[in-house]
């Protein structure tokens, strides 16, 4: 019987290294397999319904604007949700040039008779200072509102933007109960109108249910 030689220390180290490498490769394989299975599961998983609540810090702004212009404040919350997901979309500039949390075209905010408005499709050629100047907005008949009294009507300021949206919707029929008409004027899309009314109704139901349980 031939007696096996005991591996040298160097050989033992190599054996341990090979074993460790094998275990590491095996672990990576198992992890990769688990990820594939998880991805396949998610691929067939039904999308979850939207459940985000209205951010509490915005409610007072919606309510004040709605009271000022005779609207349903849930309508303003719905516009904010659909336009920028409650100001969480960055940057808040659309492909056609709409800006701010409520996505106003600059010329709608300042007034369509302002410099360059029809020629630029609503972006205008006026200065940044003119964009927020209440006197300029009044001159050109825009919908921009200085809601917080800081001397500027700023489409990037949420309070100003929400009040400006309320001003627009009210002037285009919402204060008289013609909400769908006013929403269509805000964005000429029937799908957009349906989306706004859907979120308005969902927010209202959730809010009233929450109030009833308190």
């Amino acid at each position: 019987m031939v007696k096996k030689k005991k591996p040298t220390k160097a050989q033992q180290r190599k054996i341990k290294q090979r074993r460790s490498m094998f275990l590491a490769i095996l672990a990576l394989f198992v992890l990769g397999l688990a990820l594939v299975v998880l991805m396949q599961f998610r691929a067939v998983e039904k999308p979850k319904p939207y459940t985000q609540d209205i951010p509490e810090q915005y409610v007072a702004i919606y309510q004040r604007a709605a009271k000022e212009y005779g609207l349903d404040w849930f309508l303003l919350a719905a516009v904010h949700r659909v336009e920028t997901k409650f100001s969480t979309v960055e940057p808040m500039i659309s492909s056609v040039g709409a800006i701010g949390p409520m996505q106003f075209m600059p010329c709608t905010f300042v007034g369509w008779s302002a410099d360059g408005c029809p020629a630029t499709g609503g972006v205008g050629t006026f200065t940044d200072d003119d964009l927020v100047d209440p006197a300029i907005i009044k001159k050109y008949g825009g919908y921009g509102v200085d809601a917080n009294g800081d001397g500027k009507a700023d489409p990037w300021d949420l309070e100003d933007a929400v009040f400006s949206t309320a001003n627009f919707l009210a002037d285009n029929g919402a204060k008289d109960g013609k909400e769908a008409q006013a929403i269509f004027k805000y964005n000429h899309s029937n799908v957009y109108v349906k989306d706004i009314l859907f979120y308005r109704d969902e927010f209202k139901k959730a809010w009233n249910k929450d109030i009833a349980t308190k």
Side-chain angles (χ1 to χ4, degrees), residues 52-125:
Q52 183 179 338
D53 295 328
I54 300 171
E56 193 172 326
Q57 67 269 30
Y58 301 150
V59 171
I61 297 175
Y62 303 144
Q63 290 177 336
R64 289 199 306 271
K67 184 177 181 180
E68 178 74 19
Y69 291 95
L71 307 175
D72 183 344
W73 72 266
F74 294 103
L75 182 62
L76 299 174
V79 173
H80 193 192
R81 161 54 181 90
V82 172
E83 291 292 355
T84 60
K85 293 186 178 179
F86 298 120
S87 300
T88 61
V89 174
E90 294 292 347
M92 289 188 285
I93 304 175
S94 78
S95 59
V96 296
I99 58 175
M102 304 300 271
Q103 291 290 278
F104 265 98
M105 290 303 295
C107 289
T108 303
F109 200 81
V110 176
W112 276 82
S113 60
D115 295 341
C117 280
T120 60
V123 176
T125 57

Side-chain angles (χ1 to χ4, degrees), residues 54 56 59 63 73-74 203-214:
I54 300 171
E56 193 172 326
V59 171
Q63 290 177 336
W73 72 266
F74 294 103
F203 289 153
K204 186 178 292 188
K205 284 190 293 186
W207 184 271
N208 290 337
K209 182 179 180 181
D210 186 54
I211 293 296
T213 57
K214 288 183 178 180

Side-chain angles (χ1 to χ4, degrees), residues 169-200:
L169 294 175
D171 191 54
N172 284 279
K175 66 180 179 182
D176 300 317
K178 300 175 182 178
E179 291 184 338
Q181 172 185 296
I183 298 165
F184 187 82
K185 288 279 188 178
Y186 200 83
N187 187 328
H188 294 179
S189 164
N190 289 321
V191 173
Y192 180 83
V193 174
K194 289 181 180 179
D195 286 346
I196 296 295
L197 294 177
F198 168 79
Y199 281 109
R200 179 206 62 184

Side-chain angles (χ1 to χ4, degrees), residues 7-187:
T8 65
K9 290 184 177 180
Q11 289 174 330
Q12 289 178 353
R13 282 198 298 269
K14 286 183 179 180
I15 293 171
K16 287 181 179 179
Q17 288 173 352
R18 289 174 184 170
R19 186 178 298 163
S20 297
M21 187 176 296
F22 172 76
L23 292 174
I25 293 172
L26 180 62
L28 286 173
F29 174 77
V30 172
L31 178 60
L33 183 62
L35 287 173
V36 169
V37 173
L38 180 60
M39 289 174 68
Q40 289 178 339
F41 172 76
R42 288 186 173 181
V44 299
E45 186 180 22
K46 291 183 179 180
K48 294 179 180 179
Y50 176 76
T51 58
Q52 183 179 338
D53 295 328
I54 300 171
E56 193 172 326
Q57 67 269 30
Y58 301 150
V59 171
I61 297 175
Y62 303 144
Q63 290 177 336
R64 289 199 306 271
K67 184 177 181 180
E68 178 74 19
Y69 291 95
L71 307 175
D72 183 344
W73 72 266
F74 294 103
L75 182 62
L76 299 174
V79 173
H80 193 192
R81 161 54 181 90
V82 172
E83 291 292 355
T84 60
K85 293 186 178 179
F86 298 120
S87 300
T88 61
V89 174
E90 294 292 347
M92 289 188 285
I93 304 175
S94 78
S95 59
V96 296
I99 58 175
M102 304 300 271
Q103 291 290 278
F104 265 98
M105 290 303 295
C107 289
T108 303
F109 200 81
V110 176
W112 276 82
S113 60
D115 295 341
C117 280
T120 60
V123 176
T125 57
F126 41 80
T127 67
D128 290 341
D129 288 337
D130 286 346
L131 174 67
V132 299
D133 188 336
I136 296 294
I137 293 170
K138 183 177 181 181
K139 175 182 177 181
Y140 292 119
Y143 287 99
V145 174
D146 174 16
N148 55 20
D150 65 354
K152 295 180 180 180
D154 188 352
W156 289 97
D157 178 272
L158 180 62
E159 193 168 5
D160 289 354
V162 169
F163 272 72
S164 300
T165 297
N167 184 21
F168 179 98
L169 294 175
D171 191 54
N172 284 279
K175 66 180 179 182
D176 300 317
K178 300 175 182 178
E179 291 184 338
Q181 172 185 296
I183 298 165
F184 187 82
K185 288 279 188 178
Y186 200 83
N187 187 328

